[in-house]
Amino acid sequence: MKPIVVDINIKTSKERIWNAITNVNEMRYWFFDNIPNFNAEIGFKTWFVVKNEERVFYHLWEVVQVENFKSIKVAWTYPDYVKDSFNVTFYIEELENDFINFKVKAEGIEKFEQFSIPEFTRKSCVEGWTYFTSRLKKYIEQ
């Protein structure tokens, strides 16, 4: 299946974006407010719960790749549904005129097609990443 890719251009520095996506205190403002901890180190793991209507989603993350100020890849698992993870990679690319292209690439979501859960559809994932990238832009530009 084709990966989901959502990107946005933000007038900022690569250092500012990197801190926003790797510093747990900043991540709580634009991403999930209940992330307990996070480190941009290969092998780092964390987990937290997100509730949506009557469903509870346990999120288990493991950092699997880091290229400082360029990209970070996280294996993302919902252990109550699928034991295998899908990968989410955040990319930072410097553009002209002090702009950064921030891109999210989610691969492997087809593992969730067997479930009749609205949050696991491709459409929901695209909408979710569009929402989070917009929140990141708003957070950076405030």
Side-chain angles (χ1 to χ4, degrees):
M1 180 182 246
K2 186 177 169 184
I4 291 171
V5 178
V6 174
D7 70 329
I8 195 164
N9 292 338
I10 305 172
K11 189 168 181 108
T12 191
S13 68
K14 66 181 179 183
E15 293 83 6
R16 179 71 186 102
I17 289 280
W18 184 255
N19 287 334
I21 67 171
T22 61
N23 178 303
V24 71
N25 294 320
E26 292 196 47
M27 293 168 75
R28 290 177 185 142
Y29 282 101
W30 67 272
F31 207 12
F32 294 103
D33 62 1
N34 63 335
I35 299 172
N37 50 21
F38 190 82
N39 289 315
E41 300 171 0
I42 293 173
F44 173 81
K45 293 180 183 179
T46 193
W47 76 276
F48 57 99
V49 174
V50 175
K51 295 179 183 179
N52 187 17
E53 297 174 10
E54 72 278 355
R55 288 180 292 281
V56 174
F57 297 97
Y58 291 91
H59 290 59
L60 175 61
W61 291 354
E62 180 178 359
V63 177
V64 295
Q65 185 178 356
V66 177
E67 192 173 355
N68 288 330
F69 304 103
K70 292 186 179 181
S71 68
I72 185 165
K73 181 186 281 189
V74 176
W76 193 318
T77 307
Y78 295 103
D80 289 346
Y81 296 96
V82 177
K83 302 302 179 210
D84 292 332
S85 62
F86 67 100
N87 292 315
V88 175
T89 308
F90 298 115
Y91 296 95
I92 298 169
E93 179 186 0
E94 291 182 282
L95 304 173
E96 295 179 2
N97 300 320
D98 299 323
F99 275 89
I100 296 293
N101 177 258
F102 176 73
K103 182 186 304 181
V104 178
K105 182 178 180 182
E107 302 171 279
I109 65 161
E110 65 274 4
K111 297 171 185 173
F112 299 98
E113 287 179 343
Q114 61 187 314
F115 302 102
S116 296
I117 298 174
E119 293 86 351
F120 289 161
T121 65
R122 180 176 187 83
K123 180 180 185 275
S124 178
C125 290
V126 170
E127 289 171 354
W129 287 117
T130 301
Y131 170 77
F132 283 124
T133 55
S134 296
R135 282 180 50 110
L136 173 64
K137 181 175 182 171
K138 185 177 179 181
Y139 172 70
I140 293 290
E141 292 179 342
Q142 70 181 356

